[in-house]
């Protein structure tokens, strides 16, 4: 069982976050790529849906080698997405609707086109040489160590200007910055302040656990569990190239910059096992407010495995550390593709009833699945380096209506849309009581209405072993309210016992037409059904 929180909760604790991948949300100028004005146009939709904050993936000036995760100017909007004025309008319009705006901050690496890198590579004596990670070749002329790029191949590229290698955890077009250098920290803090002054409510920090590398650049050890179908990066355990202890001090520095502006949130992107993940709250909670918890993405979709995961995570959280949950993002296969359409509804109920801040990924609310992208249409550089691992199928444009290109663009969309876009779109689904969109909206609305759901405590409920294989049961409670959540991860019916003396009302089911039903002694869950129960008023 884990704690309820007092009434002093912050917006990013009680609220929900919605991720927009700006290339794919709404295009307004017909170039087939979404833009900032498009996001502004759709703010009413987000308010209607009932989320509290929108996190926007990068829109900074960039050559787009990694679609904006290669920044050439941290304080400018790329013309593809619009102007700084468009951004100011977006934030004003969002705030008018009580929606918070979270930016994506990409401090681990810049673009190769950033003027800092142009200076750094010019000569070994350049004052910015040490802003990036340069090393002499190994004695055999090869890279300085065995570190690999996350997108395939070595993580070191030799630069002819000086003969030295520079390090890049991702593409050669994304050189890693040297966060041990105080000038880099100061420059990055200035970039944070630039956006904080414009009113942003927080940042999601890209690959935050990568920021500091082993000072001696020791070789990473082999991974004994590596399987040939996995991406090459998995060949080694990345224990020296990331997750170094010094990173916590760097994060505390960023957090201090944000705190000077009041209630701003710092979210850190971290792919690590739970025991490492929770260290990113930092000593005395001086680290990330929300170290992104991707465990639901990585855990097998089985009731017992998910129940065990929740227990483990809750138990590992430091005192005062606020939990959070994520089901999908622009780097992962869509949840509906991973667990199927019926279970995607159960997943929605899980995400929005667990304790902690949920992050929704655009399009999941209409059940977008894996959209096939023909090889000749592939966009993601990772797909070109390591075919089969690319992320395009989870980045396809949002589907708004049954018109041409589902209302996303008047031009040709940069990625294809789903074959059922004429039915799977917001317009068609918003008034359909059975749609997954309606389910998401109801869940978000319940989360607002019941503090037990948004900020209450969590308690797992034991079930007989035969049931626990398929059903995950828990309660959320606080301020005299208790809600019970029962999720059937299986595709057969299950009868779940309830206390004999208690009558419950179905607040919401993942299948429609059940709200208001009263149950006593037991409830029968349909295949793939989840329910939220409240004690019935006698
Ligand atoms: C994580 C981002 O989410 C991903 O899209 C990007 O390719 C890498 N970081 C590199 O910035």
């Amino acid at each position: 069982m884990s704690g309820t929180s007092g009434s002093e909760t912050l917006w990013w604790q009680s609220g929900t976050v919605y991720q927009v991948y700006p290339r794919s949300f709404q295009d307004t100028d017909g170039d087939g790529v979404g833009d900032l004005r498009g996001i502004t146009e759709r703010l009413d939709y987000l308010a209607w849906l009932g989320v509290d904050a929108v996190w926007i993936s990068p829109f900074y000036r960039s050559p787009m080698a990694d679609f904006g995760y290669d920044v050439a100017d941290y304080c400018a909007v790329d013309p593809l997405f619009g102007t700084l004025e468009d951004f100011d309008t977006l934030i004003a319009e969002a705030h008018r609707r009580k929606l918070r705006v979270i930016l994506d901050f990409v401090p681990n690496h810049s673009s190769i086109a950033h003027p800092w890198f142009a200076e750094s590579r010019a000569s070994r004596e350049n004052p910015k040489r040490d802003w990036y990670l340069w090393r002499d070749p190994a004695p055999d002329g090869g890279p300085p160590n065995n570190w690999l790029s996350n997108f395939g191949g070595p993580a070191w590229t030799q630069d002819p200007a000086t003969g030295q290698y520079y390090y890049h955890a991702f593409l050669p077009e994304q050189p890693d910055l040297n966060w041990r250098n105080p000038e880099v920290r100061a420059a990055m803090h200035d970039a944070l302040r630039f956006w904080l002054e414009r009113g942003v409510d927080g940042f999601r920090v890209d690959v935050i656990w990568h920021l500091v590398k082993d000072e001696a650049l020791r070789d990473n050890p082999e991974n004994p569990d590596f399987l040939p179908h996995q991406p090459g990066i998995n060949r080694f355990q990345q224990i020296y190239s990331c997750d170094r202890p010094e990173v916590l001090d760097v994060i505390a520095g960023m957090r201090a910059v944000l705190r000077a502006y009041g209630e701003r949130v710092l979210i850190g992107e971290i792919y690590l096992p739970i025991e490492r993940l929770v260290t990113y709250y930092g000593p005395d909670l001086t680290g990330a407010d929300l170290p992104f918890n991707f465990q639901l993405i990585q855990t097998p979709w089985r009731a017992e495995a998910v129940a065990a995961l929740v227990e483990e995570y809750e138990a590992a959280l430091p005192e005062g550390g606020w939990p959070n949950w994520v089901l999908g993002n622009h780097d992962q296969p869509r949840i509906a593709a991973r667990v199927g359409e019926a279970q995607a509804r159960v997943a929605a109920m899980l995400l929005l009833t667990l304790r902690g801040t949920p992050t929704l990924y655009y399009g999941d609310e209409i059940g977008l699945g894996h959209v096939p992208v023909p090889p000749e249409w592939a966009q993601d550089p990772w797909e070109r380096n390591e075919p089969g691992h690319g992320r395009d199928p989870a980045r396809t444009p949002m589907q708004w209506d049954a018109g041409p290109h589902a209302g996303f663009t008047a031009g040709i969309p940069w990625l294809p849309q789903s074959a059922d876009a004429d039915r799977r779109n917001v317009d068609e689904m918003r008034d359909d009581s059975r749609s997954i969109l309606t389910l998401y909206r109801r869940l978000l609305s319940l989360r607002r209405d019941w503090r037990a759901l948004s900020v209450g405590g969590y308690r797992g409920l034991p079930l007989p072993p035969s049931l626990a294989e398929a059903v995950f049961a828990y309660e959320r409670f606080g301020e005299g309210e208790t809600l019970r959540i029962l999720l059937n991860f299986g595709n057969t019916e299950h009868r779940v016992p309830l206390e004999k003396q208690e009558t419950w009302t179905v607040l919401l089911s993942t299948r429609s037409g059940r709200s208001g039903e009263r149950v006593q002694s037991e409830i029968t869950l349909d295949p793939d059904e989840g329910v939220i129960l409240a004690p019935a008023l006698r």
Side-chain angles (χ1 to χ4, degrees), residues 288-437:
D289 296 303
L290 300 175
F292 251 156
N293 167 12
F294 299 126
Q295 304 297 319
L296 285 177
I297 298 175
Q298 292 167 329
T299 302
W301 197 253
R302 291 186 292 105
E304 277 172 310
V306 173
L309 155 69
V310 177
E311 291 295 328
E312 187 191 347
Y313 178 64
E314 285 280 0
L317 288 169
E319 179 78 33
W322 191 258
N324 77 91
W325 296 96
V326 182
L327 269 184
N329 60 40
H330 63 293
D331 296 326
Q332 302 294 337
R334 288 265 181 199
I335 181 71
R338 198 157 73 80
V339 303
E341 230 178 306
Q343 280 294 315
R345 300 172 74 102
V346 174
M349 187 168 274
L350 174 73
L351 176 72
L352 291 167
T353 57
L354 282 175
R355 189 175 84 90
T357 308
T359 298
L360 284 67
Y361 182 47
Y362 87 94
D364 281 352
E365 77 275 29
I366 56 169
L368 266 184
H370 175 100
V371 179
V373 177
E376 65 280 8
W377 206 334
Q379 303 281 341
D380 185 0
W382 191 4
E383 180 66 24
R384 286 190 225 118
N385 290 352
E386 295 190 301
H389 294 295
R391 301 160 291 179
D392 293 332
R395 295 176 172 180
T396 61
M398 185 61 178
Q399 300 176 176
W400 297 104
D401 58 43
H405 304 305
F408 165 69
T409 180
I412 307 295
W414 76 290
L415 280 173
Q417 292 168 295
S418 78
D420 58 358
D422 57 334
R423 278 164 293 124
R424 189 178 297 287
N425 63 64
V426 171
D427 249 19
E428 294 288 322
M429 298 169 97
R430 62 187 299 156
D431 297 322
D432 176 353
S433 61
R434 291 157 311 160
S435 73
I436 187 167
L437 180 58

Side-chain angles (χ1 to χ4, degrees), residues 66 69 109 151 170 204 206-207 269 330-331 391 395:
D66 188 20
Y69 284 96
H109 43 267
F151 290 150
F170 295 89
R204 169 268 191 190
D206 193 61
V207 294
E269 187 204 19
H330 63 293
D331 296 326
R391 301 160 291 179
R395 295 176 172 180

